[in-house]
Amino acid sequence: MSKKRKWDDDYVRYWFTCTTEVDGTQRPQCVLCNSVFSNADLRPSKLSDHFNRQHGGVGGHDLNSLKHMPTPSDQNQAVKAPGVTSSEDTLLQASYQFAYLCAKEKNPHTIAEKLVKPCALEIAHIVLGPDAQKKLQQVPLSDDVIHSRIDEMSKDILQQVLEDIKASPLQVGIQLAETTDMDDCSQLMAFVRYIKEREIVEEFLFCEPLQLTMKGKDVFNLFRDFFLKHKIALDACGSVCTDGASSMLGENSEFVACVKKEIPHIVITHCLLNPHELVTKTLPAKLRDALFTVVRVINFIKGRAPNHRLFQAFFEEIGIEYNVLLFHTEMRWLSRGQILTHIFEMYEEINQFLHHQSSNLVNGFENKEFKIHLAYLADLFKHLNELGASMQRTGMNTVSAREKLSAFVRKFPFWLKRIEKRNFTNFPFLEEIIVSEDEAGSIAAEITLHLQLLNSSFHGYFSVGDLDEASKWILDPFLFNLDFVDDGYLMKNDLAELRASGQILMEFETMKLEDFWSVQFTVFPNLAKTALEILIPFASTYLCELGFSTLLHFKTKSRSCFNMSDDIRVAISKKVPRFSDIIEQKLQLQQKSL
C-alpha cells in the first residue's frame, strides 16, 4: 500500500487548500477552479504545474488570508448557503441523476459502468482535458451503485404517494390487473387515483409477483398486505377497477368477495376497454367459425418458422405493404381488429400462399361466404378499435366511458335499418365485396341477429357510470334543469348558488370535469364530494396495460431474475425523487457510520 502524503501550509502559495476524506486521506483542492486532486498530487511540483498552466501563475495573492480560508470539510460542518454544494454533494447528485435517467429510459444498470462512463471519460479527456477527466472519474456509477440509487429513489417516490393517499380528502380509486411475464411468473400491478391540491392525480402504486397460486384470495392477500405494511386502512379505497379472468379478478370473483367483506360499500368496476370479448361471445355460429379460421391461418403462418420466413419472402417479392401478421391474443384487445383488417386486405395474397404450401385451410379460406363473413368482422372490430382508442387515455372516468359506450350502442338501430334496406354503408369492407342480392340477404340476416344480441348484452354488461336523471348535474351544473332535483335535496341550494357565479362558469368552460369539481372542494364541499365520488373510480385498466409494456422492457432473457418493481416505479411514476433530501440522508448516514 502506497504511503499517504500530508498537507503542508506552504502549499497555499499555489492557491490550494486541503480537503480531508472520511478515511483521513488529504487531497488538494484548487481555490480558483474548485478542482480536487488525488493524494498522490499533494506535492509542490504538481500543484505549481496546475497553478501555472491553468491559471497563468497569477501572483499578488495574500498568503495569510489563504491560510485562514475555510476548507471544504469545514464548510460541510457549517450551515450551507442556498444553492452551495460540496464536492461530495455534486458527485452524489450526478450519480443519482444518471440512475434516474437510466430507469426512465428502461436501460440495464450495467450500461453506466460498461458504456456511458468510459465514453464520458474519453470525451472529457479530449474536449476538457485530464483534470476534468479525473473529476468525472470520481462519479460513482457501478452496477451496484445504480441499483441502490434506484431503490432509494423508488422508496422516496412511494413515500410521496403514500403521503398523498393519507392526505386525500376522499377515498382513493384503485386499478388492478394481472399478467404473466417471460418467466411464467404472475405479476399483479396497481395504480391509484386520488385528490391532491385541487386536482385528481393518477400514480403507480405497486407491481408485485404472486408467489404460488393465482387465485382471487391470493390477489386479495397481496393487495391487503401492501396497505397493512404501509399503515393505511383498507377503507381508504373507495373503488377498485379490475380486469382479467373472471375467477380471479372478475366482478363475481373471490377477490371481489373478499374486498366487499372488508369494505362493504366499495365500488367495483370492470374494465370497459374489452367489448371485443363480448362481441365474440355473441357471434352466430358461422361468424364464429370464420373468426376461428382466421386464427388457424395466422397460427399456420406464424407458428412455424419456415412458413413465416417463406411468407415474408413471398410478400417482399410481390411488393405487398404487410409482410408480418400480428398474433391473435386474448388480452391485447387491439390486435384482434388489426388482424382482421390485415387479413382482409391481404386476402388474395394469403390465399395464394396457402395454395403454394398445400395447406388444408385453403378450402375454408377461399370460400366466398367466408370472405363475406371476414369483411363484416373486419368492419365491426374496426369500429370497436376506434371506440377503445377513444377511451384509451389517462383521466378517463366511468361517466365519460359510459357516454362513449352509449353513443356506440345508439348507432345499432340506424345500422339495422340500413341493413334491412341492403345498405352496407357502415361496413365498407363488406360493401366492397357484396355483388348479388342473395349474398346481401344472407349476411344481412346474420348481422341483424348479431347486432340485436350485442345490443342487449351491452346494456346488461356495461352499466357502470350510468347516471340517473337527478344526478346529471354533475356533468353540467349550469344547464341542468333543477326541477329534476327534489326540493328536499340538501344540495339544491348549493347548486343554485353555484349557477349564479360567473367566475365559476368560466372555470367550468375551461377545465376538465374532474378538475373543475376538485377546485370546488373548498367552496362547495358537499357538491364536490358527491361529484368526485362518481368521477374518481377508474373506468379501465389502461394504465396497467401501459405498465405491462414497461415490464417487457425490464424483464428480458438477460434480466430474468431481476426484481423490477423499483425500476418500474421510477420509470413510469410522475413523481420526481426529492434528490436533495435523499443526498442529505445519505451524507448523514455516512457521518454516523464514522
Side-chain angles (χ1 to χ4, degrees), residues 271-285:
C271 179
L272 298 178
L273 285 179
N274 290 314
H276 299 68
E277 191 63 32
L278 188 62
V279 171
T280 304
K281 289 179 179 178
T282 56
L283 285 173

Side-chain angles (χ1 to χ4, degrees), residues 179-240:
T179 192
T180 302
D181 61 28
M182 61 161 295
D183 284 338
D184 294 328
C185 177
S186 183
Q187 301 284 346
L188 183 68
M189 189 172 291
F191 282 77
V192 61
R193 179 185 281 171
Y194 55 85
I195 298 174
K196 181 188 178 183
E197 296 176 357
R198 308 199 318 177
E199 67 173 345
I200 291 182
V201 178
E202 295 176 345
E203 264 298 339
F204 174 82
L205 194 58
F206 66 80
C207 178
E208 298 291 343
L210 291 165
Q211 299 293 348
L212 298 175
T213 58
M214 297 178 290
K215 299 177 181 178
K217 184 70 174 178
D218 300 315
V219 175
F220 172 74
N221 288 337
L222 195 156
F223 174 74
R224 180 194 57 194
D225 291 346
F226 176 85
F227 280 86
L228 293 178
K229 176 183 176 181
H230 297 288
K231 299 178 181 179
I232 298 177
L234 269 181
D235 57 10
C237 303
S239 62
V240 176

Side-chain angles (χ1 to χ4, degrees), residues 341-353:
T341 298
H342 290 182
I343 292 290
F344 181 80
E345 292 176 343
M346 299 186 293
Y347 178 82
E348 296 299 333
E349 293 77 14
I350 292 176
N351 192 30
Q352 291 179 38
F353 180 78

Side-chain angles (χ1 to χ4, degrees), residues 155 177 225 294 317 343 371 428 574:
K155 290 177 183 176
D225 291 346
V294 170
E317 182 180 343
I343 292 290
K371 189 175 182 181
K574 298 174 186 176

